[in-house]
Amino acid sequence: MATGVDGAVLASTAVSLAIAPRWTRREPDPPPASTRRWARPETFLCLVVGLVYLNQVLFNVYMLRVHGGDASFIAKYLPEGYFALEDGAAMRGLAEHFPMPGLLAPSLLRVQAFFELPFALLAYMTVLRWLDRGLYRRMARSWPVWAASLSYTLVFCMVEWELRNPYTMDDIAVRVCSAVVTPLVLRWLAGQEDGSSEDVSFAQMLLFAASVWGLGQLVLAVYDTALLYNLGHLGGRLPGAAVALAVIAGARWASSRLRPGEAGVALASVVSGLRWGLLLFFVPALAVRYGVNFGTPLVAGAAGLLVCATAAACALRSALAGAGATRIAFWALQVAAALLAGAAAGYAAVHLVTDAYYEAGLLRGAVSCFAVAIAVCALSDRFFVRWRDTSETV
């Protein structure tokens, strides 16, 4: 198992690093003649989440009626942390009056096997669209979406085989079907997008960071309460999910009312690095994530660092093209200060609380690090402009 996941990490990383830079130099597709405002990845992500929770309700009905609420027959095949059923009065009432509950057997593992891939890819595409609509459209309509679908599905199937149970072969077949359908849906969605790449301001990047934090919190809530069949945890998760949803709504509303601004060199280099990072991580992202638990953490970590280093190098090359020696030297000081301040903020954020899932701490730390880093870059960019203007005047 570990060898297979490590192989997926290395292969998907190599494919991304070898071909993604060449792919970005291709001309983007022309914009569509007409667009549908509802045809966005975040809209379809909400649809997928709704269907996942509907399946959870039906699964709880099935378990209560057919198995008397005892999940031990399937829990023995899976790690700890699964199957905290919702068995309150409302759920028991629904289960009691539900006709032919035996027909709900596919709600156990098989239905969810179809939705895990679109859930992951739509969440990724949502973040990318918030950052850069043009890059989102090009990525979703080109080969990377198929490469990502193959990479993610391969890892999902290896995990399925590692946790073999009576439904494993059914799940693998369902995942293969999802691997074909999901990219087609993403390509169609991106075809409705008329956006293009634009310059961004410091305020827009702060709102982007807030949006990503909110989405990450919702993804973790869905993972705990639905993807692990723990609908019984939903009540405890609802307050945090409501806060995250409010943050997303407020941040996206405010961002839509900001005019694109021209970023300074340091801030532009950070934004460019983020664009490259999202592009290069797209194909190996899930393999790297599962490599921590099911593969060799050192291999997953090395692949992640290699992607980050490549993204930084690409961003540096584009941001400092044509810059003079003085500007490059000042940029180096800016980036060093931003990295130190961001790392300190990220470290503090990670260690503020103990999280049930390590991804929650990483998300909080990454967003804190990013917010502080871009603040340092934006302030120092402004200082450099004033210093340059003063020098030229003198």
Side-chain angles (χ1 to χ4, degrees):
M1 173 62 180
T3 302
V5 174
D6 290 343
V9 170
L10 295 175
S12 57
T13 301
V15 167
S16 183
L17 295 179
I19 304 181
R22 236 178 297 167
W23 167 77
T24 57
R25 292 194 289 268
R26 294 174 54 190
E27 290 296 323
D29 294 330
S34 61
T35 60
R36 298 173 176 86
R37 294 182 61 86
W38 52 267
R40 298 175 177 177
E42 51 264 51
T43 303
F44 275 63
L45 179 61
C46 291
L47 175 62
V48 168
V49 170
L51 292 173
V52 167
Y53 276 110
L54 173 61
N55 182 67
Q56 285 300 298
V57 172
L58 298 179
F59 166 73
N60 276 256
V61 169
Y62 169 73
M63 293 299 295
L64 291 173
R65 281 286 298 277
V66 177
H67 294 279
D70 182 11
S72 60
F73 74 98
I74 187 62
K76 64 184 179 182
Y77 296 102
L78 300 173
E80 294 183 4
Y82 282 73
F83 304 116
L85 302 181
E86 169 58 46
D87 60 353
M91 183 62 69
R92 288 192 172 276
L94 175 63
E96 182 179 349
H97 296 92
F98 199 94
M100 295 183 288
L103 296 179
L104 301 178
S107 63
L108 172 58
L109 299 181
R110 283 149 289 179
V111 170
Q112 193 157 287
F114 184 89
F115 288 119
E116 285 188 355
L117 179 65
F119 177 72
L121 289 179
L122 284 167
Y124 202 106
M125 286 298 185
T126 295
V127 172
L128 185 60
R129 184 181 179 276
W130 286 344
L131 178 66
D132 187 330
R133 294 186 182 184
L135 183 57
Y136 150 70
R137 189 168 190 267
R138 293 197 303 274
M139 182 183 292
R141 291 182 61 80
S142 300
W143 71 266
V145 74
W146 291 102
S149 179
L150 174 62
S151 172
Y152 291 24
T153 301
L154 178 62
V155 174
F156 278 140
C157 289
M158 284 191 287
V159 174
E160 288 276 6
W161 191 252
E162 176 70 11
L163 305 175
R164 288 186 293 278
N165 59 73
Y167 311 109
T168 293
M169 298 309 298
D170 293 346
D171 290 346
I172 290 176
V174 170
R175 290 188 186 279
V176 171
C177 293
S178 181
V180 175
V181 173
T182 303
L184 295 175
V185 173
L186 291 175
R187 286 177 60 86
W188 178 82
L189 283 175
Q192 313 307 310
E193 183 65 61
D194 62 350
S196 58
S197 300
E198 297 177 333
D199 292 331
V200 294
S201 65
F202 169 57
Q204 286 174 312
M205 293 312 298
L206 278 182
L207 293 171
F208 169 78
S211 302
V212 171
W213 175 85
L215 180 62
Q217 292 298 315
L218 291 178
V219 167
L220 289 174
V222 173
Y223 177 78
D224 178 41
T225 61
L227 300 186
L228 298 185
Y229 295 86
N230 294 328
L231 198 60
H233 294 173
L234 184 59
R237 285 281 192 173
L238 281 178
V243 171
L245 189 60
V247 168
I248 294 174
R252 300 325 304 159
W253 178 85
S255 182
S256 67
R257 280 153 179 75
L258 289 176
R259 294 182 179 179
E262 184 176 353
V265 173
L267 181 58
S269 66
V270 173
V271 175
S272 177
L274 184 59
R275 287 192 178 107
W276 275 103
L278 287 174
L279 170 64
L280 295 174
F281 259 120
F282 182 47
V283 175
L286 194 80
V288 171
R289 158 65 181 85
Y290 275 93
V292 174
N293 299 108
F294 293 93
T296 305
L298 183 61
V299 173
L305 288 176
L306 180 59
V307 169
C308 290
T310 305
C314 293
L316 175 61
R317 182 179 59 186
S318 60
L320 297 182
T326 301
R327 188 65 188 96
I328 293 176
F330 192 82
W331 173 88
L333 292 175
Q334 289 178 275
V335 171
L339 290 177
L340 288 173
Y347 180 84
V350 169
H351 291 83
L352 281 175
V353 296
T354 301
D355 300 286
Y357 300 104
Y358 75 89
E359 293 93 341
L362 290 179
L363 172 66
R364 188 172 57 252
V367 170
S368 300
C369 176
F370 179 74
V372 171
I374 62 173
V376 172
C377 288
L379 290 173
S380 56
D381 277 336
R382 184 173 299 182
F383 172 80
F384 177 82
V385 170
R386 291 179 179 176
W387 173 80
R388 183 191 60 191
D389 292 344
T390 302
S391 299
E392 291 176 352
T393 302
V394 174

